[in-house]
Amino acid sequence: MARIQMYDTTLRDGSQGEGVNFSLEDKLQITAKLDEMGFDYIEGGYPLSNPKDTEYFQRVAEMDLMHAKVTAFGMTRRKEIEAKDDVGMQALRDSQAPVVTIVGKTWDLHVTEVLRVSLEENLAMIADSVGFIKSCGREVIYDAEHFFDGFRANPEYALKTIKAAADAGADIVIPCDTNGGSLPEVITKYVNLVRSEVNVPLGIHCHNDCDLATANSLAAIEHGAIQVQGTINGIGERCGNADLISVIANLVTKKEGYSVLLDNKLHNLTELSRYVYELANMNFRSGQPFVGSSAFAHKGGMHVHAVNRIARSYEHIEPEVVGNERKVLVSELSGRSNIVAKTTKLQLDNDPELLTRILEKVQDLENEGYQFEAAEASFDLLVKKVAGTFKPHFEKIHYRVNVESDNTHEPLTEATIKLIVNGQQEHVVGEGDGPVNALDTALRKALCPAYPALEKMHLVDYKVRVINSAEGTAASVRVVIESRDEHKVWSSIGVSENVIEASWLALADSVEYKLYKDEGTISG
């Protein structure tokens, strides 16, 4: 069984993606999570680039990592200076990271036009930098930047750069598709050529500008690469990097003879994906392969009917293998099979009259603008309401939202809510950054004394869409709220001509779903 090394650069290359920023604590938490999963290398950053990365290497040295090796990343020495005198080389050495990844130029265009040094000096910069770090007793990974573009332009020189790193003691050489423009057949052709010319192991580092980073990484592995560099969820500059989630899942479920991560950790992939999204303050990609919330979602009645009989007829793997779950979407296109599948836990398949009433109610509400395929929590509550088993945890008497604004201050939003909770009247006020935030604050203030588990629930996303735009400012709007706790993510929906009322309906459903879920009387 060939071990394929997983080299994660989420904390360095991934953080270069637009809108991605990790705090020091975020980076340390992700490091711990990756180590727990069995990743082989975790690239923490460039110790000279900013104080946060410098402190990261100080703090991570105190962590008791069980499997992963923390890696410091840096460039070759500057031109016409000895490696031992270069501040970048000194920073890599002083980071105390057991592994150092050095990136060097392969493409002669970059050498002469970007670095503005001679081709010979670039070779010396590579050799001197690798040799210096090796002399410090560190493991050295050499990233051959723009290798595939460089090889196309000047194959002889590109090979010289690889050999310079290998001869200087690099433990592994990583050809990089830095521009992300290569096809799989190019990757395999050049990887084979390099393997015939150098005697050190090879890896692969691909960017996703042609949506081929995963395919290119798998192709390189098939032709001898033993290490894949990438990021969790494929985040990174421009179109991102190879998504290690997909690389790992494909290697384990689609190919034979390869091992990755620690045993029995594949089922944690979905959790890992969402954990990184959360720390990066990014929305989940619902259509992300393997781990997205829609990766195993079924909507058409014919599909659902088949899945109910034989799941693999419309699923390439069992969703539980990667820690995901099957979803059956309910919409006006749904047939009885969708309703049966969604209500399996309630055993409603023996009540055809109730199933018919549910389907009719769904179709009526969708005619008003509801879309339950994007709001499973609201659908589960709808089933309970039609079945007559819904008992609200709170009853709204009224709410009021007030927004004050003048020329000197930011708008002040205040929500007042009066509810009945466990037979007692609660009259509370909450302030927020806007109407929805204020309503959420007030609702929690009223409910948390009776239901403290709501402290662990928070809103992840809020979407508004106009339904009948021809009506102008009197148009109905659809609000979808995505919420989560420590175990699950769910969505709820509200529709009204008043955006605040639509928001209240979605918010109330989200809270009710959380409370029913915690009681174990609803799916979750």
Side-chain angles (χ1 to χ4, degrees), residues 252-295:
V252 176
T253 66
K254 306 297 182 183
K255 291 181 174 290
E256 295 182 358
Y258 298 109
S259 67
V260 296
L261 303 184
L262 295 176
D263 291 340
N264 302 318
K265 288 297 181 179
L266 189 67
H267 70 278
N268 294 118
L269 279 185
T270 299
E271 175 193 358
L272 173 64
S273 168
R274 294 175 182 178
Y275 183 82
V276 172
Y277 275 132
E278 187 68 17
L279 290 186
N281 196 26
M282 298 174 69
N283 293 329
F284 304 159
R285 274 197 296 133
S286 60
Q288 185 173 350
F290 293 100
V291 297
S293 59
S294 299

Side-chain angles (χ1 to χ4, degrees), residues 217-390:
S217 299
L218 294 172
I221 291 171
E222 194 71 24
H223 287 261
I226 66 165
Q227 181 184 110
V228 179
Q229 296 187 355
T231 63
I232 304 303
N233 300 322
I235 61 175
E237 199 167 25
R238 304 188 313 277
C239 302
N241 293 51
D243 182 359
L244 292 183
I245 296 289
S246 289
V247 171
I248 291 166
N250 275 297
L251 275 176
V252 176
T253 66
K254 306 297 182 183
K255 291 181 174 290
E256 295 182 358
Y258 298 109
S259 67
V260 296
L261 303 184
L262 295 176
D263 291 340
N264 302 318
K265 288 297 181 179
L266 189 67
H267 70 278
N268 294 118
L269 279 185
T270 299
E271 175 193 358
L272 173 64
S273 168
R274 294 175 182 178
Y275 183 82
V276 172
Y277 275 132
E278 187 68 17
L279 290 186
N281 196 26
M282 298 174 69
N283 293 329
F284 304 159
R285 274 197 296 133
S286 60
Q288 185 173 350
F290 293 100
V291 297
S293 59
S294 299
F296 300 93
H298 306 280
K299 179 176 178 180
M302 182 181 69
H303 287 203
V304 174
H305 180 72
V307 167
N308 285 340
R309 288 179 175 270
I310 307 175
R312 61 186 173 87
S313 64
Y314 277 95
E315 292 176 349
H316 66 107
I317 64 169
E318 295 178 357
E320 295 80 9
V321 170
V322 290
N324 209 338
E325 60 184 359
R326 180 176 301 114
K327 287 174 59 177
V328 175
L329 306 179
V330 179
S331 75
E332 61 187 2
L333 301 178
S334 302
R336 186 177 297 270
S337 295
N338 296 57
I339 304 298
V340 170
K342 286 289 293 179
T343 56
T344 299
K345 291 185 178 181
L346 300 176
Q347 298 180 337
L348 300 183
D349 53 317
N350 295 323
D351 192 341
E353 181 183 348
L354 179 56
L355 290 175
T356 299
R357 297 207 322 265
I358 293 171
L359 182 55
E360 289 175 348
K361 187 65 175 177
V362 167
Q363 292 171 339
D364 288 344
L365 288 172
E366 291 218 342
N367 190 49
E368 296 176 15
Y370 280 81
Q371 280 193 350
F372 291 102
E373 63 188 69
E376 287 192 304
S378 291
F379 174 78
D380 284 348
L381 294 174
L382 173 66
V383 170
K384 294 183 76 69
K385 292 173 183 177
V386 175
T389 60
F390 178 78

